[in-house]
């Protein structure tokens, strides 16, 4: 039975990969409708032929890697169970210590290590791709350092969550998912509070914006929007990428407005102010807090479904997967696989909500700055720097895009400009 499940798993993954290869390289049409040709949303008007070719080539390969990587994670967890690795991890942990917490930590380090090794080739391909298309400027050593930081942060997070999770399962087989969700609320808020000041600085150096004249204009914009900001931060992303970005993260007193130095180097002042106005739109419309509420609601549904699915799978195929019960640590790969699947299935919905919020932030930014020229040029430069498609395929938009497409964003600005000319 184990061989049969493994065989069908590999075949399903192979057919899935073939479908997306065919879809992205042969079926999907990224050309613009007639009414958009020649507009400022048409990439032919602001990208040269080489840039157009690079954007199309890079986007197709990057999107294929995205669609291959998540199901590969499911396949990895499936074989960890079928081949008895989860069983071996538990045996090694029990032989190393009689203390439960130490046993869990040893089990987790083995599972995390095998997961890291299994997914490293895909991560390296993604890194090499962005390097070859002149998006990544990071050295191999710098990239590997970030990968190792990811590894230890993920391991540390798991070391906090997993012992609590299995303690709850042992205490209540029927309602552990609810108690786990209740505990996740303060934990999520605490991690968001720590993110800007503890986790982010592990990857990059953050410092107050050096251009004080620009900072004064950004803070003046924030004052008009009634945002209590005292500093704007910049981060040295040029050591890693040529892409552009800016964001607001954190909650409470730890919230930060952050600009990548690539954005500062490649955009003019008006374009930067538009980006900042966009980020302020998220703050004004409380998107961070709506996002937290949405995440917590989805996690409640996800934990409930995971609990029900785990019970069904273990009762039917527990012997095949070598999992005697839900409360056994050997069920962790199954739990992680189910959560990953649920996240993938729910991503079209979460991306739809995110695109709506981003479009609202765009609307707020243009209403605040009234500078459509700077706004359009900003989106054109973002497209050029990120080798992005203006009009991505439908499935890519649904599963990958948390922002409106550049076609939608620039077209909205052109319509806004026309309406305001007529006033």
């Amino acid at each position: 039975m184990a061989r049969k499940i493994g065989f069908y798993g590999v075949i399903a993954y192979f057919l899935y990969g073939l479908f997306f290869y065919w879809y992205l390289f042969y079926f999907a049409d990224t050309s613009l409708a007639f009414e958009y040709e020649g507009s400022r949303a048409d990439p032919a008007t602001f990208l040269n032929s080489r840039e157009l070719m690079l954007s199309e080539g890079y986007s197709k390969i990057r999107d294929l890697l995205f669609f291959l990587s998540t199901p590969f994670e499911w396949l990895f967890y499936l074989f960890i169970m079928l081949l008895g690795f989860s069983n071996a991890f538990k045996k090694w942990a029990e032989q190393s210590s009689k203390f439960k917490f130490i046993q869990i930590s040893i089990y987790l380090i083995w599972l995390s290590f095998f997961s890291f090794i299994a997914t490293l080739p895909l991560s390296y391909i993604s890194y090499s791709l962005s390097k070859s298309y002149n998006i990544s400027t990071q050295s191999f050593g710098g990239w590997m350092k970030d990968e190792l930081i990811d590894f230890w942060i993920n391991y540390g997070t798991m070391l906090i969550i997993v012992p609590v999770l299995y303690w709850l399962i042992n205490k209540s087989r029927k309602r552990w998912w609810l108690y786990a969700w209740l505990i996740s609320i303060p934990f999520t808020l605490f991690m968001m509070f720590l993110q800007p000041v503890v986790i982010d600085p592990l990857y990059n150096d953050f410092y107050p914006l050096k251009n004080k004249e620009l900072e004064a204009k950004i803070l003046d914009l924030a004052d008009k929007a009634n945002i209590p900001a005292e500093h704007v931060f910049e981060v040295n992303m040029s050591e890693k990428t040529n892409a552009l970005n800016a964001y607001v993260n954190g909650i409470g007193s730890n919230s930060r407005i952050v600009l990548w130095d690539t954005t500062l180097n490649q955009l003019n002042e008006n374009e930067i102010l538009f980006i900042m106005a966009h980020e302020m739109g998220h703050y004004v419309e409380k998107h961070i807090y709506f996002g937290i509420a949405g995440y917590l609601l989805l996690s409640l549904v996800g934990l409930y479904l995971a609990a029900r699915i785990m019970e069904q799978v273990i009762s039917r195929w527990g012997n095949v997967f070598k999992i005697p019960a839900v409360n056994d640590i050997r069920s962790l790969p199954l739990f992680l696989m189910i959560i990953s699947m649920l996240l993938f299935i729910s991503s079209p919905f979460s991306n739809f909500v995110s695109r709506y919020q981003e479009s609202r932030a765009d609307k707020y930014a243009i209403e605040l700055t009234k500078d459509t020229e700077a706004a359009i040029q900003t989106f054109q430069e973002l497209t050029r720097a990120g080798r992005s498609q203006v009009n991505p395929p439908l499935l890519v938009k649904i599963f990958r895009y948390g922002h409106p497409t550049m076609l939608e964003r620039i077209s909205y600005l052109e319509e806004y400009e026309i309406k305001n000319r007529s006033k």
Side-chain angles (χ1 to χ4, degrees), residues 285-339:
E285 299 216 352
K286 297 179 171 56
H287 290 161
I288 291 174
Y289 298 100
F290 282 119
I292 293 170
Y295 167 78
L296 292 175
L297 179 61
L298 282 176
S299 65
L300 174 62
V301 175
L303 283 169
Y304 170 76
L305 290 174
R308 300 284 79 82
I309 295 169
M310 282 179 74
E311 288 285 358
Q312 292 295 321
V313 170
I314 292 173
S315 65
R316 186 169 181 179
W317 295 295
N319 290 334
V320 178
F321 292 130
K322 302 173 180 63
I323 305 172
V326 174
N327 63 342
D328 191 293
I329 190 66
R330 286 171 287 186
S331 68
L332 181 60
L334 177 63
F335 174 77
L336 295 174
M337 183 173 72
I338 292 168
I339 290 295

Side-chain angles (χ1 to χ4, degrees), residues 139-151:
S139 66
F140 174 79
W143 171 78
M144 198 67 215
K145 177 187 173 184
D146 283 351
E147 290 291 309
L148 291 173
I149 291 172
D150 280 346
F151 172 85

Side-chain angles (χ1 to χ4, degrees), residues 11 23 42 70 85 87 106 163 207 245 249 333 381:
I11 292 297
Y23 175 78
D42 185 350
T70 302
F85 282 104
N87 204 28
I106 293 171
Y207 33 81
N245 197 15
N249 72 341
E381 285 303 314

Side-chain angles (χ1 to χ4, degrees), residues 137-194:
T137 59
Q138 193 173 25
S139 66
F140 174 79
W143 171 78
M144 198 67 215
K145 177 187 173 184
D146 283 351
E147 290 291 309
L148 291 173
I149 291 172
D150 280 346
F151 172 85
W152 288 112
I153 288 176
N154 291 335
Y155 175 72
T157 305
M158 293 273 281
L159 197 54
I160 296 170
I161 294 172
V162 172
V164 175
L165 179 68
Y166 278 86
W167 179 78
L168 291 172
I169 295 174
N170 277 300
K171 289 292 181 181
S172 176
R173 287 284 294 273
K174 289 185 177 180
R175 294 188 180 87
W176 64 264
W177 57 272
L178 178 60
Y179 302 137
W181 178 75
L182 290 171
I183 292 174
S184 76
I185 296 173
F187 180 76
T188 300
L189 297 176
F190 180 66
M191 291 300 291
M192 291 191 70
F193 184 78
L194 286 184

